[in-house]
């Protein structure tokens, strides 16, 4: 095998631990070793490289960019920038108010907030390396579509009346841009800091995700998965979304679980719907958004995302299962 | 005596920032009063969108993440009203 991570996993699992390649424990350990080394290597590398460029796109700059765009292009721009701009979810409230105060419509702001956790460069690279570019492209396209359509709907239905009243009264001081690192040394140091901050924040989600994936890969029989989550069960997609609602993980952490599910023959649409539900809808995010959105808008938001994820799941399954793979 | 405000809604990075400033002030022997500002209106009033932000003697010196220790030192060392901005003091380590 040309894959160094797979070779390392072979070495650790079969040589060092002496586990059988066809046993469940061997399969699980192999999955865990390969995925954890691969994902953490990629994670550190991508976060570091992005850290070097991070100052190019801060949320403050995104705000300026979107402010200058026309209304229609705003949704697309917000979704694209949401995908490439990393920000800590603890900043989502000031970000939301800061955007609105700058005259950016609520829908455009929400398009940014929906896309940002769903699609990010770290998840894209890791997803592509584990499950291939086809699924990755579908995932990115679907994630951005959910953000854009959601944003347009919010504005068309004039849901801005359900934004908390105090939000409209807040006035921003002159916006402070996070200082750009000047020298190469500064940039490298900044990127290093980013690695320790971001990896420090998400490593547990990633590790738990890999653990789940490994257990699934090693111990859950394929026919069991096929019976309940296979293409023959029309309820599999909505059930996957409902299961994902209370679960919360970072986009990177859910990838190994998705990989294991795909490996067990779960259809692509069901897997994507589950991933999105876990990443985008979560209790902590909603507690945060409740500070700026009235319960009615929050309920609409959750309802819209659930319906959108189910629709994406069905659509992808329909598109990719047609050629004779249905039972 | 310097007045330092740490702007942020109480996330992990904000707590880490306040702790860092406290530690550096103790190490340098600078007297500081550190206040955590969690009110969103006040944070945005300072023009800070990416938290945590840091305000020294009424002037915003930092936004968007936990600051580096040498930057903190430079704010604490600066005398009088002029807290240095971006890179006035570059302490290479």
């Amino acid at each position: 095998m040309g894959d160094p991570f797979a070779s390392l996993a072979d070495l650790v699992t079969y040589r060092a631990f002496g586990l059988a390649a066809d046993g469940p424990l061997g399969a699980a350990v192999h999955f865990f070793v390969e995925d954890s080394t691969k994902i953490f290597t990629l994670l550190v590398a991508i976060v570091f490289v992005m850290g070097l460029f991070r100052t190019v796109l801060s949320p403050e700059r995104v705000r300026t960019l979107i402010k200058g765009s026309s209304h229609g292009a705003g949704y697309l721009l917000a979704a694209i920038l949401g995908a490439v701009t990393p920000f800590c979810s603890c900043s989502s409230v000031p970000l939301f108010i800061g955007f609105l105060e700058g005259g950016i419509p609520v829908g455009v702001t929400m398009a940014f907030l929906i896309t940002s956790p769903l699609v990010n460069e770290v998840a894209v690279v890791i997803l592509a390396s584990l499950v291939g570019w086809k699924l990755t492209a579908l995932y990115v396209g679907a994630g951005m579509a959910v953000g854009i359509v959601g944003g347009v709907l919010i504005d068309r239905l004039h849901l801005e009346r359900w934004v908390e009243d105090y939000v409209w009264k807040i006035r921003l001081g002159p916006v402070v841009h996070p200082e750009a690192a000047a020298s190469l040394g500064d940039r490298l140091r900044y990127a290093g800091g980013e690695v320790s901050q971001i990896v420090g924040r998400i490593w547990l989600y990633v590790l738990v995700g890999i653990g789940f994936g490994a257990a699934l890969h090693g111990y859950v029989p394929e026919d069991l998965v096929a019976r309940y989550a296979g293409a023959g069960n029309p309820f599999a997609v909505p059930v996957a979304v409902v299961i994902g609602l209370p679960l919360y993980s970072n986009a990177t952490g859910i990838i190994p679980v998705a990989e294991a599910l795909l490996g067990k023959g779960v259809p692509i649409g069901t897997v994507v719907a589950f991933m999105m539900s876990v990443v985008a809808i979560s209790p902590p995010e909603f507690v945060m958004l409740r500070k700026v959105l009235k319960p009615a808008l929050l309920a609409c938001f959750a309802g819209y995302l659930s319906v959108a994820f189910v629709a994406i799941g069905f659509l992808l399954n329909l598109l990719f299962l047609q050629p004779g793979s249905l039972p | 005596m310097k007045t330092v405000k740490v702007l942020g809604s109480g996330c992990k990075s904000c707590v880490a920032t306040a702790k860092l400033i406290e530690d550096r002030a103790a190490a340098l022997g600078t007297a500081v009063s550190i206040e955590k500002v969690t009110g969103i209106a006040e944070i945005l009033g300072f023009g800070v969108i990416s938290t945590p932000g840091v305000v020294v003697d009424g002037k915003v010196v930092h936004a968007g993440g936990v600051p580096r220790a040498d930057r903190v030192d430079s704010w604490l060392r600066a005398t009088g009203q002029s807290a240095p901005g971006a890179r006035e003091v570059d302490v290479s380590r």
Side-chain angles (χ1 to χ4, degrees):
Chain A
M1 290 285 276
D3 188 337
F5 300 105
S7 314
L8 177 72
D10 285 349
L11 203 69
V12 171
T13 315
Y14 311 134
R15 289 281 181 78
F17 290 167
L19 294 166
D22 49 0
L25 186 61
V29 170
H30 191 276
F31 185 99
F32 190 86
V33 174
E34 181 178 347
D35 269 33
S36 53
T37 49
K38 193 178 204 170
I39 289 178
F40 278 102
T41 306
L42 285 171
L43 184 63
V44 168
I46 304 159
V47 171
F48 188 82
V49 172
M50 289 309 291
L52 293 178
F53 297 104
R54 161 78 182 278
T55 38
V56 176
L57 260 187
S58 60
E60 289 77 4
R61 194 149 305 167
V62 168
R63 177 175 176 267
T64 315
L65 280 173
I66 297 178
K67 253 173 93 171
S69 75
S70 73
H71 198 148
Y75 299 104
L76 183 63
L77 193 62
I80 293 172
L81 293 172
V84 295
T85 311
F87 74 93
C88 170
S89 68
C90 52
S91 286
S92 55
V93 168
L95 206 87
F96 180 88
I97 303 176
F99 275 34
L100 261 53
E101 202 266 353
I104 297 170
V106 179
V108 176
T109 306
M110 290 306 287
F112 180 82
L113 283 182
I114 294 171
T115 325
S116 196
L118 268 181
V119 185
N120 67 63
E121 66 290 339
V122 177
V124 164
V125 175
I126 294 174
L127 196 59
S129 79
L130 289 180
V131 300
W133 285 106
K134 193 174 83 174
L135 175 65
T136 307
L138 286 171
Y139 179 85
V140 170
M144 288 179 54
V146 172
I148 293 171
V149 173
V152 171
L153 279 177
I154 286 173
D155 284 340
R156 281 291 156 84
L157 300 173
H158 298 290
L159 299 187
E160 63 271 7
R161 62 182 184 275
W162 286 334
V163 169
E164 288 290 352
D165 302 318
Y166 81 93
V167 168
W168 302 107
K169 298 189 188 102
I170 291 177
R171 286 291 159 260
L172 240 71
V175 171
V176 181
H177 289 261
E179 59 277 357
S183 65
L184 181 65
D186 274 354
R187 277 186 188 275
L188 290 173
R189 231 173 310 170
Y190 178 84
E194 282 289 288
V195 170
S196 64
Q197 234 180 82
I198 293 180
V199 176
R201 194 163 69 220
I202 69 174
W203 69 270
L204 193 59
Y205 290 113
V206 177
L207 215 55
V208 168
I210 299 170
F212 263 113
L216 206 65
H217 179 74
Y219 289 95
V220 179
E222 210 157 306
D223 52 342
L224 185 83
V225 176
R227 192 165 353 127
Y228 291 105
N233 182 359
F235 296 109
V237 174
V239 167
V241 171
V242 170
I243 292 174
L245 291 180
L247 299 179
Y248 174 65
S249 171
N250 172 275
T252 310
I254 196 66
I255 292 173
V257 179
E259 182 198 3
L261 287 171
L262 285 169
K264 292 285 168 190
V266 177
I268 201 168
T270 315
V271 172
V272 168
F274 177 68
M275 284 176 79
M276 292 191 156
S277 172
V278 170
V279 173
I281 314 177
S282 69
E285 177 75 9
F286 273 57
V287 168
M288 206 83 81
L289 284 175
R290 174 63 191 92
K291 291 181 185 167
V292 287
L293 306 180
K294 290 181 182 170
L297 183 47
L298 210 55
C300 285
F301 182 60
Y304 161 73
L305 287 180
S306 309
V307 171
F309 296 155
V310 171
I312 285 172
F314 278 129
L315 188 70
L316 293 183
N317 281 351
L318 206 67
L319 285 175
F320 289 92
L321 289 177
Q322 215 107 62
S325 53
L326 280 168
Chain B
M1 175 81 156
K2 286 188 177 294
T3 317
V4 178
K5 289 180 180 176
V6 176
L7 316 177
S9 48
C11 59
K12 231 174 157 183
S13 307
C14 313
V15 178
T17 302
K19 176 87 172 57
L20 176 69
I21 295 172
E22 213 170 289
D23 290 350
R24 294 313 306 161
L28 295 173
T30 312
V32 285
S33 79
I34 297 173
E35 183 194 343
K36 285 182 194 156
V37 177
T38 51
I40 191 68
E42 199 181 341
I43 294 174
L44 287 163
F46 279 107
V48 169
I49 295 177
S50 298
T51 56
V54 179
V55 177
V56 177
D57 292 336
K59 187 167 173 285
V60 183
V61 293
H62 177 82
V66 180
R68 287 210 321 263
D70 58 340
R71 294 280 320 280
V72 175
D73 288 358
S74 73
W75 304 328
L76 296 174
R77 282 208 190 95
T79 47
Q81 291 300 310
S82 60
R87 275 167 314 282
E88 208 175 297
V89 183
D90 189 17
V91 187
S92 311
R93 285 181 298 173

